[in-house]
Amino acid sequence: MTQTENGKKALGQKTYDRVIWIVLDGVGAGATPDAESFGDPGANTLGNLAQAWNQTTGKAIELPNLKNLGVANITPLAGVSALSPGQGQGAYGRASELSAGKDTTSGHWEMTGLVVTDPFKVFPDGFSEEVVSRWCKENDLPGVLGNCPASGTTIIEELGLEHMRTGKPILYTSADSVWQVAAHEETFGLERLLKICKSARKICDELGISRVIARPFVGNPEKGTPFNRTYNRKDYAQSPSQKTILDLLTEAQIPTLGIGKISSIFNGHGVQKNLDTKGNTDGIRTLIETLPQHSRGLIFVNLIDFDMVYGHRRDVPGFVSALEEFDRALPRILGEMNENDLLILTADHGNDPTYRGTDHTREFAPILAYSPRRNTGGAKDLGIRSSFADMGATVFDALVGGSLPSPIIGESFLNSI
């Protein structure tokens, strides 16, 4: 392999044909040193989840395939033993977050080399009457319901029937920088909901809000059918403020494929094609079916149910079931890999289902990496990486090679796997 004078690979000296990068949304690996400043001391999605499950059921969470990659070496898991030297395969570690946040956007952006130094704006008292009135006027709305921080499932239960009677969409936010709109798919209409959310993106750009999220739901409790949110959710994110490794891959004519909500997080930038999915099961199926068809480039996956369905709802049994489902699917994913493939598993933030409240938690991102060409001698310890961006640097190193151009940051750990 060609080397430059400083020992770096020369640009274009790629070492892999394909990287499969899977984000287990919300599956954090322990509170970061600065977690207290975010109100999250003691949070540990993986660790506290395993402990709560063990205490409640007397059973250990069943993650044999993730264990073999070193998941129990990242943070202690009740009933799951850590690998001894020489055991397992691949590499394990965790990464600190430099960005000023604990949300989906900042987490994914930092993974790809963009650190969010100025936190996105949050609205703990809801949005101003002036802004809401402007939005209603622009979209011919009779008004809104809510306009406050709330749990999405709770506010739909509280205001869903009134929304159906009045035609007023349910507007709410959270501890994250989000403008969320819930509306009934049948009485309000899905296309109309998406239209008014797209309209809100301009307002949110002015306010410095990270994401507009359309939250469609169905059901009618008066007719015996409870309200349920659907997978027709749509995110409208800010555009990244600089290039990311996704843009660099595109410029290098390396294919980039998103699965799940990847494209929406980057507002399409650097994601050449995206396959929308309806939750984890569909996302895993889509990935497995896609692997034989895409032998080159980056496949970037977001599995949302850990966060959206189980973390925010503080559903420990559901969270455990979802992790075990992914673990059972892992051998099929690994079975589609060859020596020119690299797998990276991680998370974008925490969402500890045992923690107070219903919001994200400031945590380390787990890192589990594997390639069939580097599976001897036991799993390697990557230690604690200083930024999520080290994962993006590793992806770039694998698929393109060479140093990252400023201001994109990150230090590759490819040679340590």
Side-chain angles (χ1 to χ4, degrees):
M1 183 179 297
T2 302
Q3 303 282 326
T4 62
E5 291 182 0
N6 62 6
K8 296 277 189 178
K9 288 186 301 181
L11 188 64
Q13 297 299 310
K14 73 179 183 67
T15 50
Y16 289 85
D17 291 334
R18 181 172 64 174
V19 175
I20 305 156
W21 195 1
I22 304 175
V23 180
L24 310 180
D25 199 310
V27 184
T32 53
D34 61 356
E36 187 167 1
S37 65
F38 289 83
D40 300 324
N44 187 335
T45 300
L46 278 168
N48 290 342
L49 177 73
Q51 183 177 30
W53 183 245
N54 184 257
Q55 290 176 344
T56 302
T57 67
K59 301 176 182 178
I61 187 171
E62 296 184 9
L63 304 174
N65 300 300
L66 289 168
K67 173 187 172 179
N68 196 45
L69 296 178
V71 71
N73 294 69
I74 296 173
T75 187
L77 302 181
V80 181
S81 59
L83 297 173
S84 299
Q87 291 183 327
Q89 55 188 345
Y92 59 86
R94 54 183 182 169
S96 298
E97 185 169 9
L98 296 177
S99 294
K102 52 178 180 177
D103 58 82
T104 294
T105 303
S106 62
H108 282 76
W109 285 8
E110 182 168 326
M111 285 181 213
T112 59
L114 193 171
V115 174
V116 179
T117 54
D118 295 322
F120 296 117
K121 299 297 188 296
V122 294
F123 294 82
D125 300 316
F127 306 107
S128 71
E129 182 178 345
E130 177 184 1
V131 166
V132 174
S133 295
R134 171 187 163 188
W135 182 60
C136 289
K137 183 177 180 180
E138 289 176 354
N139 293 279
D140 195 25
L141 296 171
V144 301
L145 302 174
N147 190 20
C148 60
S151 159
T153 52
T154 300
I155 201 168
I156 288 170
E157 291 172 359
E158 293 176 349
L159 299 176
L161 288 173
E162 185 178 354
H163 155 71
M164 294 172 70
R165 287 192 297 267
T166 64
K168 297 178 180 179
I170 302 170
L171 175 64
Y172 64 106
T173 186
S174 73
D176 293 331
S177 179
V178 288
W179 172 295
Q180 302 186 88
V181 187
H184 199 282
E185 284 195 4
E186 296 164 0
T187 63
F188 191 87
L190 178 59
E191 292 305 316
R192 187 183 179 201
L193 171 60
L194 299 181
K195 181 180 178 181
I196 65 174
C197 286
K198 189 174 182 179
S199 165
R201 182 63 263 171
K202 181 179 179 181
I203 293 173
C204 291
D205 284 342
E206 297 170 4
L207 296 176
I209 296 174
S210 172
R211 285 181 295 158
V212 178
I213 307 177
R215 297 281 196 177
F217 65 95
V218 295
N220 187 339
E222 290 184 336
K223 295 184 178 181
T225 307
F227 289 131
N228 281 298
R229 296 195 294 191
T230 75
Y231 282 113
N232 290 322
R233 158 188 170 151
K234 177 73 173 178
D235 292 37
Y236 299 90
Q238 275 191 7
S239 292
S241 56
Q242 67 174 51
K243 286 184 178 180
T244 70
I245 65 117
L246 300 179
D247 298 298
L248 299 184
L249 295 178
T250 297
E251 291 170 1
Q253 299 184 330
I254 303 293
T256 58
L257 171 67
I259 296 178
K261 63 177 184 177
I262 294 296
S263 183
S264 67
I265 294 170
F266 294 88
N267 200 21
H269 291 266
V271 183
Q272 298 158 27
K273 181 180 179 182
N274 199 87
L275 302 176
D276 294 334
T277 59
K278 298 182 182 297
N280 282 12
T281 300
D282 189 40
I284 293 168
R285 177 193 61 78
T286 299
L287 171 60
I288 292 171
E289 291 179 355
T290 297
L291 287 172
Q293 305 165 20
H294 293 78
S295 59
R296 177 174 173 264
L298 172 64
I299 302 176
F300 199 1
V301 185
N302 178 282
L303 298 179
I304 194 174
D305 282 353
F306 303 110
D307 180 65
M308 183 180 79
V309 179
Y310 307 115
H312 285 301
R313 298 178 188 178
R314 297 305 187 241
D315 180 351
V316 169
F319 210 130
V320 169
S321 178
L323 278 171
E324 292 179 341
E325 176 191 30
F326 178 76
D327 188 87
R328 290 192 298 271
L330 192 53
R332 293 188 63 189
I333 297 171
L334 299 182
E336 292 289 344
M337 295 176 63
N338 59 51
E339 66 174 13
N340 293 319
D341 292 336
L342 173 66
L343 172 71
I344 298 176
L345 306 177
T346 190
D348 51 346
H349 51 71
N351 199 336
D352 186 342
T354 73
Y355 212 65
R356 59 179 178 266
T358 60
D359 297 318
H360 296 159
T361 42
R362 177 79 168 186
E363 298 185 46
F364 290 104
I367 302 174
L368 298 173
Y370 170 78
S371 175
R373 78 164 68 165
R374 304 186 182 196
N375 62 353
T376 59
K380 309 299 190 298
D381 186 357
L382 299 173
I384 298 177
R385 313 300 301 189
S386 62
S387 170
F388 290 7
D390 286 4
M391 287 180 276
T394 303
V395 171
F396 182 80
D397 193 8
L399 293 175
V400 179
S403 301
L404 290 167
S406 180
I408 300 174
I409 73 160
E411 183 179 344
S412 173
F413 52 76
L414 189 64
N415 290 333
S416 299
I417 295 175

